[in-house]
Amino acid sequence: MNTYIYGVGTSNFGRQPQHTAHTLGWEAVTEALRSAQVDSVDAVYVGTVFGAPGVAQRTVHSLGLTGVPVITIENACASGTSALVEAEAAVASGRYERTLAVGVEHLTNRFRGGLHPELTDADGAAGLALPGTYAMVACRYLHEGRVTERQLAMVAVKNHRHALGNPRAQYSGEYTVEEVAASAMIADPLTLLQCCPISDGAAAAVVGGPRGVKSDIRIRGIALRSGGLWDHRSPHVWGYQLVADTARTAFESAGIEPADVDVVEVHDAFTIGEIVSVDALGLCPSAGAGAATELGETAIGGRIPVNPSGGLLSRGHPLGATGLAQVAEIVVQLQRRAGRRQVDGARIGVVETMGGGVAGIDGNACVVAVLG
Amino acid sequence: MNTYIYGVGTSNFGRQPQHTAHTLGWEAVTEALRSAQVDSVDAVYVGTVFGAPGVAQRTVHSLGLTGVPVITIENACASGTSALVEAEAAVASGRYERTLAVGVEHLTNRFRGGLHPELTDADGAAGLALPGTYAMVACRYLHEGRVTERQLAMVAVKNHRHALGNPRAQYSGEYTVEEVAASAMIADPLTLLQCCPISDGAAAAVVGGPRGVKSDIRIRGIALRSGGLWDHRSPHVWGYQLVADTARTAFESAGIEPADVDVVEVHDAFTIGEIVSVDALGLCPSAGAGAATELGETAIGGRIPVNPSGGLLSRGHPLGATGLAQVAEIVVQLQRRAGRRQVDGARIGVVETMGGGVAGIDGNACVVAVLG
């Protein structure tokens, strides 16, 4: 059965200590239900990484959505889009008529006392937190000549500029390449402005079938994969193969080619993340994502605008909410409601979310969705 | 499409600091796959409450199950059976041919530094941790004459005795009612031996359709509900209505009456939990669960044996694994493989899991499954 996104909603993004995960969720869901012109759903899938048990129930019960199944889903940074995958499958299979996918995360309160790695976290003990992992990917790309430090910095310049048009973004601004390069070094070669911030936020989408739909945003294809064991002989950097495989599945099921994509939100937790994702999605087959960024092809107004919302780097990265924030952005773009950051003529949009990683695995999860 | 449990597996249960969540998961999944006589599945649903991000991937990747979608599900103490609900629906709808539901929890390592309530946990701040909530339920039942202190203690006596036949149980033993009553007071009227322990453990089930099935354990009905907002005018104690509603849905979809049930595993996180659950399931309609316990009806050899595994009280309660540990017990009972704790003539078995609770809500989630 064809599935549609009836409506989307988000909270603001940023450090919001006056909020809790479920009050942010309330804002996002309220907006999504209003936009969808519905007041009930048959099941709720809530993506969160560090949300306390019960946060999903608190969110939806405060809206009066009681009695329906509520399922919390964790899939690292792909939790929000993993919730969408399950919400979509439940409608597509006829199990439910209408479902709600929500992502919520409140990192400020959760880690108010500081962020302590799990005692059993071997990766953390080895320094392989995600900034380090992405930095190693950047080094490999630099070494192979697939990107330059200038091009990496230009991703940060572009996304912070895009966010100037997004009133809900956590950060925004006009930076120069030199300013990005001169910001504090976090994990060589990634400087502060090349790393996503700690964010609180929520986002939601109502999914349903063709009956009674008032939206023309169809989920043309959606795929979820978890990574394989890392093969040290791979010619690709960490995560590339997982994104490429997931994208191929989603594109095939949508019946599109990469060249058909008009606008995309990708997982730029770090600047190198955007570069690798765009390459793996096949969006810049000739020059590669690095050169395309330098040529302005991935900016709003360019050939294939990437992260018009400002991306994780600038809109913010509330882990479990991120995937659905990306979805909300693409839906708003396709509905021509994006205001100053509108991508002209956008008919087909893509979301790509890359979920975390533990030692020896090519990513916990990747979700790619094709909307249009 | 009819769905079957192809096979089940568990780890040992107890304090296992030498293990991690994913090594326990490895044990459970290995046993489940062997018992199911399969070596691959199309998707994995992992229930855990406090498992760190990535624990699901670590568990299944260490078995060589890579590339398939892996989804982590949290639904408080009903996480394991919520994973089963999603794994079953995915097969029933034809989305996947064969799925794996796993529950893992390692509380010892997770809370090695002590258990700190969330900073935003209003219930915890109010003293409404679950022992307190269940104690209030017990007080109400005592006040209404639906149970006696002796009957409550007899639940603990029975379940610790049942566990003598379960080599994987965390605790077991022959206790007297007086010994149970004399153990340390935790939350009046619930004494230490009436409260489930902190446990580490894992359990797993392989679910599939009729094609190629080698098992005759069918999932005849399964239902998941989340609780409604608490209505203080309700004549029922906390959780009762949610269990009763969920059971009705599951029983109807299975085409059975409570009187058809031969063996049951219920959510006895505290003795009063077993009493309320058995009442809500309608298993002792005349005398009520309290009197039935005193008459020996709920013991192995009685009319309707409850918690032959020893239950949460004695087998242990590794939160996210508990629901699937219950499922594993019922499957082993129906397959006549339960040894010293075998319930004679068991043809239809039921699992009931009750997931946590936050202020003002009648339970986060309840799952009831009918197997046979």
Side-chain angles (χ1 to χ4, degrees):
Chain A
M1 187 190 307
N2 280 348
T3 53
Y4 298 83
I5 298 201
Y6 281 37
V8 292
T10 77
S11 68
N12 286 325
F13 300 97
R15 294 275 200 167
Q16 305 180 75
Q18 76 281 18
H19 270 288
T20 62
H22 63 271
T23 58
L24 292 169
W26 189 92
E27 290 188 359
V29 175
T30 300
E31 185 171 271
L33 292 173
R34 189 177 301 136
S35 146
Q37 302 179 49
V38 302
D39 55 13
S40 71
V41 293
D42 305 315
V44 183
Y45 292 86
V46 180
T48 189
V49 179
F50 291 109
V55 66
Q57 280 79 8
R58 279 185 209 268
T59 301
V60 299
H61 289 172
S62 67
L63 287 151
L65 298 175
T66 61
V68 300
V70 178
I71 299 262
T72 301
I73 287 182
E74 187 276 316
N75 222 342
C77 300
S79 297
T81 30
S82 292
L84 181 67
V85 166
E86 296 303 293
E88 195 274 343
V91 171
S93 67
R95 184 177 171 202
Y96 300 121
E97 222 170 273
R98 207 159 55 215
T99 55
L100 175 66
V102 195
V104 297
E105 205 77 57
H106 203 298
L107 296 174
T108 301
N109 286 348
R110 178 68 177 74
F111 295 112
R112 200 184 283 165
L115 175 51
H116 304 292
E118 297 285 324
L119 290 166
T120 53
D121 179 2
D123 309 333
L128 281 174
L130 286 164
T133 304
Y134 275 99
M136 295 199 320
V137 170
C139 288
R140 172 87 171 262
Y141 248 54
L142 288 166
H143 173 73
E144 291 179 349
R146 300 187 64 172
V147 78
T148 65
E149 295 208 22
R150 177 178 169 76
Q151 290 164 354
L152 282 177
M154 287 185 81
V155 172
V157 171
K158 167 181 72 73
N159 289 356
H160 284 84
R161 185 180 294 145
H162 283 177
L164 288 168
N166 184 354
R168 294 185 180 177
Q170 180 165 7
Y171 295 114
S172 61
E174 281 290 352
Y175 293 96
T176 64
V177 165
E178 292 68 32
E179 284 168 334
V180 172
S183 63
M185 183 58 72
I186 302 297
D188 195 0
L190 302 173
T191 58
L192 183 65
L193 287 167
Q194 302 192 51
C195 303
C196 62
I198 302 283
S199 316
D200 311 321
V206 178
V207 179
R211 198 156 73 93
V213 65
K214 299 185 183 76
S215 153
D216 57 355
I217 308 295
R218 189 155 75 80
I219 302 177
R220 296 181 54 146
I222 187 164
L224 160 71
R225 288 180 67 95
S226 70
L229 296 177
W230 176 250
D231 181 350
H232 69 280
R233 298 161 302 187
S234 167
H236 296 299
V237 293
W238 174 83
Y240 179 98
Q241 195 63 53
L242 177 60
V243 176
D245 290 346
T246 312
R248 193 173 48 250
T249 306
F251 288 4
E252 276 176 16
S253 104
I256 67 158
E257 302 284 333
D260 298 325
V261 179
D262 299 312
V263 58
V264 58
E265 288 271 314
V266 305
H267 202 78
D268 61 327
F270 302 86
T271 48
I272 184 66
E274 173 165 319
I275 297 289
V276 173
S277 296
V278 170
D279 276 345
L281 289 164
L283 299 176
C284 300
S286 46
T293 303
E294 193 158 9
L295 293 168
E297 291 187 8
T298 60
I300 294 172
R303 188 179 58 79
I304 170 70
V306 177
N307 288 328
S309 72
L312 284 60
L313 284 173
S314 198
R315 178 201 58 232
H317 183 23
L319 313 179
T322 286
L324 286 161
Q326 295 175 308
V327 168
E329 175 67 15
I330 292 298
V331 168
V332 166
Q333 289 284 349
L334 296 174
Q335 294 175 332
R336 312 274 187 275
R337 297 194 288 125
R340 286 204 290 145
R341 65 184 193 280
Q342 181 66 50
V343 173
D344 287 338
R347 293 174 309 105
I348 294 182
V350 163
V351 164
E352 178 268 333
T353 323
M354 174 72 183
V358 292
I361 295 174
D362 193 20
N364 280 9
C366 180
V367 175
V368 174
V370 180
L371 310 178
Chain B
M1 184 190 307
N2 280 349
T3 53
Y4 298 82
I5 297 201
Y6 281 37
V8 292
T10 78
S11 68
N12 287 325
F13 299 98
R15 293 274 200 167
Q16 305 180 74
Q18 76 281 18
H19 270 289
T20 63
H22 63 273
T23 58
L24 292 169
W26 189 92
E27 291 188 358
V29 176
T30 300
E31 185 172 271
L33 291 173
R34 189 177 301 135
S35 144
Q37 302 179 49
V38 302
D39 55 13
S40 71
V41 293
D42 304 314
V44 182
Y45 292 86
V46 180
T48 189
V49 179
F50 292 109
V55 65
Q57 281 79 7
R58 280 185 208 265
T59 301
V60 300
H61 289 172
S62 67
L63 287 151
L65 297 175
T66 61
V68 300
V70 178
I71 300 262
T72 301
I73 286 182
E74 187 276 316
N75 222 341
C77 300
S79 297
T81 30
S82 292
L84 181 68
V85 165
E86 296 303 292
E88 195 274 342
V91 171
S93 67
R95 183 176 172 202
Y96 300 120
E97 222 170 274
R98 209 159 52 216
T99 56
L100 174 67
V102 194
V104 296
E105 205 77 57
H106 203 298
L107 296 174
T108 302
N109 285 348
R110 178 67 177 73
F111 295 112
R112 199 185 284 166
L115 176 52
H116 305 291
E118 297 284 325
L119 290 167
T120 53
D121 179 2
D123 309 334
L128 282 174
L130 286 164
T133 304
Y134 275 99
M136 294 199 320
V137 170
C139 288
R140 173 86 172 263
Y141 248 55
L142 288 167
H143 174 72
E144 292 178 349
R146 300 187 65 172
V147 78
T148 65
E149 294 209 26
R150 177 178 170 75
Q151 290 164 354
L152 282 176
M154 288 185 81
V155 172
V157 170
K158 166 180 73 73
N159 289 356
H160 284 84
R161 184 180 295 146
H162 283 178
L164 287 169
N166 184 354
R168 294 185 180 178
Q170 180 166 5
Y171 294 114
S172 61
E174 281 289 354
Y175 293 97
T176 63
V177 165
E178 291 68 31
E179 283 168 334
V180 171
S183 63
M185 183 59 73
I186 301 298
D188 195 1
L190 302 173
T191 58
L192 182 65
L193 287 167
Q194 302 192 50
C195 303
C196 63
I198 302 283
S199 316
D200 311 322
V206 178
V207 179
R211 198 156 73 91
V213 65
K214 299 186 184 75
S215 153
D216 56 356
I217 308 295
R218 189 155 75 82
I219 303 177
R220 296 180 55 145
I222 188 164
L224 160 71
R225 288 179 68 95
S226 70
L229 296 177
W230 176 250
D231 181 350
H232 69 280
R233 297 161 303 184
S234 168
H236 295 299
V237 293
W238 175 82
Y240 180 98
Q241 195 63 53
L242 178 59
V243 176
D245 290 346
T246 313
R248 193 173 49 249
T249 307
F251 287 4
E252 276 176 17
S253 104
I256 67 158
E257 302 284 334
D260 298 326
V261 179
D262 299 311
V263 58
V264 58
E265 289 271 313
V266 305
H267 203 79
D268 61 328
F270 302 87
T271 47
I272 185 65
E274 174 166 319
I275 296 290
V276 173
S277 296
V278 169
D279 275 346
L281 289 164
L283 298 176
C284 299
S286 46
T293 304
E294 194 158 8
L295 293 168
E297 291 187 9
T298 59
I300 294 173
R303 187 179 58 79
I304 170 69
V306 177
N307 288 327
S309 72
L312 284 59
L313 284 173
S314 197
R315 178 201 59 231
H317 183 23
L319 313 178
T322 286
L324 286 161
Q326 296 175 307
V327 168
E329 175 68 16
I330 291 297
V331 167
V332 166
Q333 289 284 348
L334 297 175
Q335 293 175 332
R336 312 271 187 277
R337 296 194 290 125
R340 285 204 290 145
R341 66 184 192 280
Q342 181 67 48
V343 172
D344 287 338
R347 294 173 308 106
I348 294 181
V350 163
V351 165
E352 177 267 335
T353 323
M354 175 72 182
V358 293
I361 295 174
D362 193 20
N364 279 10
C366 180
V367 175
V368 174
V370 180
L371 310 178

